[in-house]
Amino acid sequence: MSETTDVLINSLPFLLEGAKNTLLLSFFSIFGALFVGLIIALLRLSKSKVATGLAKLYVSFFRGTPLLIQLFILYYGLVSVEIQLTAWQAAYTGLILHFGAYISESFRAAILSLSKGQWEAAMSLGMKKSLIYKEVILPQAWRRAIPPVWNSLIDIVKASSLASVLTISELTYNADQIAASNFKVLPILLTAAFIYWFFTTILNLIQSFLEKKLSIPSS
């Protein structure tokens, strides 16, 4: 037991370094996925058949193929067409594009759930479409989209572990390296799992706070 404890104590700085990189990867991927998701949702709802068709194709591909394959394509596959991404660039791009597809559907569903009366009332005031989205539609849609969108954000944190296959020194990769070097596989992986659990618990608490803060008062 003391030997395992010593290994965990000695390994903690390396695990925390990996956890820091996991947070960094997750943080920027979350904001990128939110931005991409919103843009794709608006394209799906546009009157342009070309824009709608391309958005549908994007969503279908990135929701219908595994994230791991997408990462391999970005990091290893694009080299064949003379596009070389770093491991970090491939990981960011893969996470953003993959979860942007899921988030776009959450945003689209939330926007479509609003009554047509919202649009008609805003248009009767002479508001332009862009202003209606900004001032009327998106603030209400964001409230309704919080639960499914937040689930995707939590999934981003967990899915960031797949960046380990690109040899990025994040939490899973570092934990695997430590376990392989000292053969204390179970305690090291459990420690990594608890760190992920801590991150997702914090996000769940933030989600609960936002749902209460932004909840629509009952009539």
Side-chain angles (χ1 to χ4, degrees), residues 14 28 36 53 87 100 112-113 148 157 185 194 207 214:
F14 196 44
F28 288 107
V36 169
L112 290 175
S113 70
V157 176
V185 178
F194 276 112
Q207 177 184 351
L214 302 177

Side-chain angles (χ1 to χ4, degrees), residues 115-154:
S115 67
K116 292 183 178 180
Q118 303 275 354
W119 285 95
E120 294 169 353
M123 292 177 68
S124 68
L125 297 175
M127 297 175 68
K128 294 182 178 180
K129 187 175 181 180
S130 59
L131 188 60
I132 294 175
Y133 266 116
K134 179 182 177 183
E135 301 294 338
V136 179
I137 302 301
L138 292 183
Q140 295 182 74
W142 167 242
R143 294 184 183 185
R144 301 188 180 195
I146 284 178
V149 166
W150 214 265
N151 286 336
S152 293
L153 303 189
I154 292 173

Side-chain angles (χ1 to χ4, degrees), residues 73-132:
I73 290 173
L74 290 167
Y75 189 56
Y76 299 110
L78 292 184
V79 176
S80 62
V81 292
E82 299 183 356
I83 299 176
Q84 179 65 68
L85 300 180
T86 67
W88 279 91
Q89 289 170 340
Y92 280 127
T93 304
L95 287 168
I96 288 171
L97 293 178
H98 183 84
F99 287 99
Y102 285 91
I103 290 173
S104 71
E105 290 298 277
S106 299
F107 279 142
R108 187 174 72 93
I111 292 171
L112 290 175
S113 70
L114 299 176
S115 67
K116 292 183 178 180
Q118 303 275 354
W119 285 95
E120 294 169 353
M123 292 177 68
S124 68
L125 297 175
M127 297 175 68
K128 294 182 178 180
K129 187 175 181 180
S130 59
L131 188 60
I132 294 175

Side-chain angles (χ1 to χ4, degrees), residues 6 10 25 28 36 58 86 108 115-116 118 135 155 160 179 182 186 201 207 211 218:
D6 289 341
N10 293 331
L25 180 60
F28 288 107
V36 169
Y58 163 83
T86 67
R108 187 174 72 93
S115 67
K116 292 183 178 180
Q118 303 275 354
E135 301 294 338
D155 285 340
S160 68
N182 56 44
L186 183 59
T201 298
Q207 177 184 351
E211 288 178 345
S218 58

